[in-house]
Amino acid sequence: MSERSTAVFLERQTYRRRRLIDWLRILPLIGLGLWCIPLLWSKGEGQGVSTADAVIFVFVVWLVLVVLSAFSAWALQALESDDKDATNTGAR
């Protein structure tokens, strides 16, 4: 007998929370990759990128990572509070 594959239903909030957690886990790796970009810059033979440009790029990437992390943490907290509210009102 062959078993049919059944579709697994995930609640929308649970799915969103898991994807947001996945995003938060991969965000540092994205940042590390972005920080390595100045190493690939070249202006010609024997010339590298200026230190000032590289430092500005690194700090801009750092600032963007901080903002994205803060926004993602806020969104995760909002999702979790919605889940708690839904379970509390459903228990009445």
Side-chain angles (χ1 to χ4, degrees):
M1 293 186 169
S2 64
E3 293 182 28
R4 288 187 178 179
S5 62
T6 59
V8 177
F9 175 74
L10 295 175
E11 291 182 30
R12 182 174 290 170
Q13 295 296 342
T14 304
Y15 178 78
R16 287 181 181 167
R17 186 176 62 240
R18 287 182 182 180
R19 296 300 73 84
L20 192 54
I21 290 170
D22 290 344
W23 164 252
L24 286 169
R25 287 180 180 163
I26 200 153
L27 192 60
L29 297 175
I30 293 170
L32 181 65
L34 288 173
W35 274 352
C36 291
I37 287 177
L39 298 174
L40 301 174
W41 290 342
S42 67
K43 292 185 177 181
E45 283 186 32
Q47 295 179 355
V49 67
S50 70
T51 305
D53 291 340
V55 169
I56 290 170
F57 180 81
V58 166
F59 278 107
V60 167
V61 167
W62 174 76
L63 181 65
V64 168
L65 287 172
V66 168
V67 170
L68 285 174
S69 296
F71 179 73
S72 299
W74 173 79
L76 183 62
Q77 184 179 12
L79 282 175
E80 288 180 353
S81 68
D82 288 345
D83 286 345
K84 288 179 184 177
D85 290 342
T87 57
N88 289 339
T89 57
R92 290 183 186 179

